[in-house]
Amino acid sequence: DIQMTQSPFSLSASVGDRVTITCRASQTIRNYLNWYQQKPGLAPKLLIYAASTLRPGVPSRFSGSGSETDFTLTISSLQLEDFATYYCQQSYDPPLTFGGGTKVEIK
Amino acid sequence: QITLKESGPAVVKPTQTLTLTCSFSGFSLSTSGVGVGWIRQPPGKALEWLAIIFWDGDKRHSPSLRNRLTITKDTSKNQVVLTMTNVDPMDTATYYCAHSPSGYDRFDYWGQGTLVTVSS
């Protein structure tokens, strides 16, 4: 199985901050990497797919980069509605594993 | 507009079989490339992928649960059913179904989830 490791586990940030979350795959997954946002009590929402493609309707302050084994989700200027947990997921090969999540909290 | 909704029992006893149904609209599971997957999330924990079934009947399961999981589809009813045998309290989780537009590509639409508690 391909293991997905996210860091940090959690972070505290202020509105307007630039936030970076990393995701590392245990083997190459080319660019088959997705990012999801989940708020408490709600289903996850797709933000970015194929490592860097922004889903239509997702604010442009979200961006993704990386390839092979190392990936990054960046929020350029954190907004109140961005406080949530973020998950990466590889879609290269089943089982389609998720990272452990990164909780973004208000400082 | 694509929507999905999970249904099933809220409580199941240990060793019993859990059957969950995903009812969807806005797409057809006979369209080339389309798939429906199941993902679960134990309380306070991370997401775990369980299984996926595709338009052509191809299916994949989590290796760790393979012997306990069955995924089937009823294209005429727009439903996907996940069956899990011999449940354990560790299977307590919110279970989600989700739409994949092309192969394993991504899960772009999710159901609201259904909480299943395994308890005697």
Side-chain angles (χ1 to χ4, degrees), chain B residues 88-106:
Chain B
D88 177 270
M90 295 282 285
D91 296 314
T92 294
T94 296
Y95 287 76
Y96 297 99
C97 62
H99 169 268
S100 179
S102 177
Y104 305 127
D105 198 6
R106 60 194 183 268

Side-chain angles (χ1 to χ4, degrees), chain A residues 34 36 38 43 49 55 87 91, chain B residues 41 104-108 111:
Chain A
N34 305 317
Y36 300 86
Q38 187 180 32
Y49 61 95
R55 183 185 186 179
Y87 293 93
S91 57
Chain B
Q41 185 173 37
Y104 305 127
D105 198 6
R106 60 194 183 268
F107 292 116
D108 55 356

Side-chain angles (χ1 to χ4, degrees), chain B residues 4-8 20-23 38 95-98 110-114:
Chain B
L4 305 98
K5 187 173 184 179
E6 308 85 353
S7 59
L20 295 170
T21 300
C22 176
S23 302
W38 285 93
Y95 287 76
Y96 297 99
C97 62
W110 294 60
Q112 65 189 24
T114 186

Side-chain angles (χ1 to χ4, degrees), chain B:
Chain B
Q1 179 190 359
I2 290 175
T3 64
L4 305 98
K5 187 173 184 179
E6 308 85 353
S7 59
V11 180
V12 183
K13 289 181 167 48
T15 75
Q16 287 187 338
T17 295
L18 169 65
T19 299
L20 295 170
T21 300
C22 176
S23 302
F24 57 84
S25 63
F27 67 96
S28 172
L29 202 37
S30 60
T31 299
S32 178
V34 170
V36 172
W38 285 93
I39 302 100
R40 72 179 179 181
Q41 185 173 37
K45 296 189 177 180
L47 300 164
E48 178 186 13
W49 176 80
L50 299 177
I52 191 167
I53 190 164
F54 294 104
W55 64 286
D56 60 355
D58 190 22
K59 56 188 78 170
R60 296 287 186 271
H61 303 82
S62 169
S64 63
L65 294 167
R66 183 188 302 278
N67 293 337
R68 299 174 52 210
L69 290 179
T70 303
I71 188 170
T72 60
K73 65 182 177 78
D74 187 328
T75 305
S76 64
K77 290 185 178 179
N78 282 350
Q79 290 182 335
V80 171
V81 174
L82 182 74
T83 302
M84 179 183 291
T85 60
N86 192 27
V87 297
D88 177 270
M90 295 282 285
D91 296 314
T92 294
T94 296
Y95 287 76
Y96 297 99
C97 62
H99 169 268
S100 179
S102 177
Y104 305 127
D105 198 6
R106 60 194 183 268
F107 292 116
D108 55 356
Y109 294 91
W110 294 60
Q112 65 189 24
T114 186
L115 175 61
V116 178
T117 301
V118 180
S119 173
S120 54

